[in-house]
Amino acid sequence: MKTAKPATAPPAPPALPAVELRVPTDEDALNWHRVFNDPEVMEFHGGSPAELSVYEELTARQRRHHAELGFCLYTLLDPADGAVIGFTGAQPWPRDWGPAGEIEIGWRLGRAYWGRGYATAAATAALASVRAAGVRHVVAMVDARNERSAAVTRRLGMRRAETVIPPEGNRTAYCHRLEL
């Protein structure tokens, strides 16, 4: 007589790291510029690091979004030492193509913080503020070559909904959707 092996539960997913989010400050423009001043970080965001003025405008816009909408792209802090490691959160899709008029969730981390679960943990935390603001669904636009960000969308429970060719026509992006 064969003895059945006891059933084993699938392994639990790894625990997400602790994260701390804050509304971007004026100083975060310089912090974001420093953390994202890396061609690998910018590979799917235009290829080269942006000027400081881009981050000055972006952080100011995020403070307005938070005041008006109740959510924004938050500055992501390393919980161990308070260092700025990137951003994550949501904002209205800023272009007139793609998911125009929708709320996009996004993340960008400094290279030293990739592969540690910070993007998923921070995006999960940021979704709470989006839900609290009454948003019913979000999108994430991800360059088709960016497997790391595509993996984050899957961990968040998003589904790939459509393929988008930006007006420049030099790349392909996927629009992922999540019902809240």
Side-chain angles (χ1 to χ4, degrees), residues 44-67:
F44 304 112
H45 305 285
S48 59
E51 296 294 323
L52 177 59
S53 62
V54 170
Y55 295 110
E56 290 169 338
E57 190 282 326
L58 183 57
T59 54
R61 183 170 6 118
Q62 297 314 310
R63 287 190 297 277
R64 283 192 309 274
H65 287 330
H66 190 266

Side-chain angles (χ1 to χ4, degrees), residues 11-75:
L16 293 175
V19 293
E20 184 179 338
L21 302 176
R22 74 166 180 228
V23 175
T25 64
D26 285 332
E27 295 79 28
D28 284 334
L30 184 58
N31 292 323
W32 290 3
H33 182 261
R34 178 186 44 77
V35 171
F36 303 145
N37 191 16
D38 180 324
E40 281 188 88
V41 171
M42 298 305 292
E43 178 180 4
F44 304 112
H45 305 285
S48 59
E51 296 294 323
L52 177 59
S53 62
V54 170
Y55 295 110
E56 290 169 338
E57 190 282 326
L58 183 57
T59 54
R61 183 170 6 118
Q62 297 314 310
R63 287 190 297 277
R64 283 192 309 274
H65 287 330
H66 190 266
E68 295 169 4
L69 304 172
F71 57 86
C72 66
L73 292 176
Y74 296 98
T75 295

Side-chain angles (χ1 to χ4, degrees), residues 84-126:
V84 172
I85 64 174
F87 66 64
T88 191
Q91 66 175 348
W93 174 250
R95 297 175 178 88
D96 60 1
W97 54 268
E102 299 198 57
I103 302 300
E104 178 198 28
I105 186 160
W107 45 86
R108 188 181 310 166
L109 278 66
R111 177 66 184 94
Y113 298 93
W114 291 3
R116 298 185 188 183
Y118 285 117
T120 302
T124 300

Side-chain angles (χ1 to χ4, degrees), residues 13-14 16 107 115-121 124 147-158:
L16 293 175
W107 45 86
R116 298 185 188 183
Y118 285 117
T120 302
T124 300
E147 180 49 39
R148 288 178 181 277
S149 280
V152 173
T153 67
R154 289 189 296 273
R155 287 190 290 272
L156 293 173
M158 300 185 90

